[in-house]
């Protein structure tokens, strides 16, 4: 079975959110263990990951040094974190596999995601990133071409485009590596935002792409059987935070669409995860799963987690 697993950026930090290098290395090592078990069970695995805390660190360095050196573009920040997290994951995954007696190897791709250059977010950005700044600090970055908005009583905050992912440009390379037996790390942080110019050439662009929607896309492009969105809960829940809360088990695409309309899952948390697994099941015919990292194997076997399938078989 071919499985795509999307790890959240917070899976690369300690439990208290610390993103020191040693915290990230420890967290990645822990994440590698259940993934290695899946490989040993005979599955082909592609990993993608978030990079929010890591990009946040780079943006802070940009802010602190803006009056000395030009800020690094946001697409470069994505590329840097893909390489950094990729290197950590390669070492952790190779080590976890070796401890299990496997000679399977892993490979990481610095990978791009195509977006529409005409997306309205590029002329009127709305996605907030980074921390709130006083006006004098924000002005330095505005002079470098960044967009900021003033939030009453909070300060100034950067806003960027958040376009829809259209194509994982390096999906064919990932597919080739999977076919050769590699455990592949690809499309981290939603992929490096890239546009196609009028002359057909490609160029990076400053934007934030939703990592879960890109995970759904790379899963479809590589003909995965299963997409797993690994988070910090065992399943998605309806009526979250109320006495009526209940986990969502196995549902059809149509049922999940109806649940989503009724629940209004938050855009900043569960909403994109629900949309990603639903799109995958709807467009590929595979199974989309939301569960915790530690329970992935059980969720794939159908024992736990939120599972979205094209259609739930009628009872006999």
């Amino acid at each position: 079975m071919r499985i795509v697993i999307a790890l959240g950026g917070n899976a690369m930090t300690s439990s208290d959110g610390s993103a020191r290098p040693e915290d990230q290395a420890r967290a990645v090592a822990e994440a590698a263990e259940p993934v290695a078990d899946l490989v040993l069970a005979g599955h082909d695995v592609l990993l993608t990951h978030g990079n929010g805390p890591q990009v946040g660190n780079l943006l802070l360095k940009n802010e602190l040094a803006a009056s000395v050196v030009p800020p690094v573009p946001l697409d470069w920040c994505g590329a840097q974190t893909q390489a950094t997290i990729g290197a950590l994951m390669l070492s952790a995954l190779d080590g976890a596999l070796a401890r299990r007696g496997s000679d399977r190897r892993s490979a990481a791709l610095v990978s791009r995601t195509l977006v529409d250059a005409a997306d309205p977010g590029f002329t009127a950005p709305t996605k907030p990133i980074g921390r709130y700044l006083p006006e004098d600090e924000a002005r330095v970055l505005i002079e470098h071409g960044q967009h900021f908005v003033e939030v009453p009583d909070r300060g100034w905050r950067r806003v960027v485009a958040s376009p829809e992912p259209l194509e994982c440009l390096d999906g064919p390379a990932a597919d080739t590596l999977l076919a050769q037996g590699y455990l592949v790390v690809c499309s981290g942080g939603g992929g490096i935002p890239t546009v196609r110019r009028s002359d057909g050439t490609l160029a990076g662009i400053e934007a934030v792409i939703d990592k879960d929607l890109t995970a759904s896309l790379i899963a479809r492009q590589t003909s995965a059987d299963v997409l797993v969105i690994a988070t910090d809960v065992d399943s998605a829940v309806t009526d979250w935070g109320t006495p009526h809360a209940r986990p969502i088990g196995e549902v059809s695409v149509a049922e999940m669409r109806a649940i989503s309309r009724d629940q209004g899952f938050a855009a900043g948390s569960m909403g994109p995860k629900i949309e990603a697994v639903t799109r995958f099941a709807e467009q590929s015919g595979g199974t989309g799963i939301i569960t915790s990292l530690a329970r992935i194997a059980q969720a794939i076997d159908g024992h736990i987690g939120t599972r979205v399938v094209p259609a739930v078989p009628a009872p006999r």
Side-chain angles (χ1 to χ4, degrees):
M1 186 182 295
R2 182 171 285 191
I3 303 168
V4 170
I5 302 172
L7 302 175
N10 291 327
M12 312 298 157
T13 62
S14 66
S15 58
D16 64 358
S18 298
R20 298 174 302 176
E22 58 267 31
D23 296 321
Q24 295 184 57
R26 188 180 306 111
V28 169
E30 292 175 3
E33 297 299 323
V35 175
D37 288 337
L38 289 175
V39 174
L40 263 292
H43 302 298
D44 295 325
V45 178
L46 183 150
L47 278 176
T48 185
H49 58 82
N51 63 353
Q54 294 77 17
V55 168
N57 283 348
L58 292 179
L59 293 177
L60 178 56
K61 294 175 183 178
N62 274 350
E63 293 162 7
L64 295 174
S67 60
V68 182
V69 294
V72 174
L74 191 55
D75 49 313
W76 287 25
C77 291
Q80 288 180 38
T81 56
Q82 280 189 0
T84 302
I85 295 171
L88 285 174
M89 295 186 82
L90 294 185
S91 295
L93 292 165
D94 287 350
L97 290 167
R99 286 192 295 275
R100 289 161 172 77
S102 173
D103 61 359
R104 291 278 293 272
R105 298 299 302 274
S106 54
L109 288 173
V110 175
S111 38
R112 304 155 295 169
T113 298
L114 185 68
V115 299
D116 186 356
D119 187 283
F122 290 118
T123 53
T126 58
K127 172 73 173 179
I129 62 170
R131 59 185 186 133
Y132 292 96
L133 298 177
E135 183 175 0
D136 60 331
E137 293 183 25
R139 290 292 174 196
V140 175
L141 295 163
I142 291 171
E143 290 173 1
H144 284 288
Q146 296 184 9
H147 295 274
F148 276 76
V149 296
E150 185 177 13
V151 180
D153 302 320
R154 301 295 298 274
W156 291 71
R157 198 172 187 198
R158 188 180 179 189
V159 289
V160 298
S162 185
E164 183 83 9
L166 302 178
E167 180 186 353
C168 296
L169 293 168
D170 302 291
D175 202 26
T176 298
L177 287 166
L178 285 167
Q180 293 299 314
Y182 283 87
L183 195 170
V184 180
V185 181
C186 182
S187 299
I192 303 163
T194 303
V195 295
R196 195 179 302 279
R197 299 188 181 108
S198 58
D199 64 358
T201 59
L202 298 168
I205 193 166
E206 295 202 78
V208 171
I209 305 173
D210 186 90
K211 61 180 175 53
D212 296 320
L213 298 184
T214 297
S216 180
L217 184 58
I218 191 66
R220 299 195 305 272
Q221 285 187 217
T222 56
S223 303
D225 302 291
V226 176
L227 166 66
V228 180
I229 305 292
T231 184
D232 55 359
V233 294
D234 289 342
S235 62
V237 174
T238 58
D239 298 318
W240 175 260
T242 76
H244 306 292
R246 64 176 182 84
I248 303 170
E250 182 167 303
V251 294
S252 69
V253 166
E255 288 170 331
M256 183 54 90
R257 292 285 186 208
I259 292 169
S260 187
R261 287 193 297 271
D262 176 66
Q263 294 290 310
F265 295 107
S269 56
M270 191 56 71
K273 296 173 174 54
I274 294 287
E275 179 61 24
V277 295
T278 305
R279 282 189 194 183
F280 174 73
E282 185 175 50
Q283 297 179 23
S284 75
T287 300
I289 297 173
I290 298 173
T291 195
S292 60
L293 182 62
R295 310 295 289 276
I296 285 178
Q298 293 170 277
I300 289 171
D301 289 339
H303 301 306
I304 199 168
T306 295
R307 295 168 51 88
V308 183
V309 297
V312 175
R316 296 182 178 180

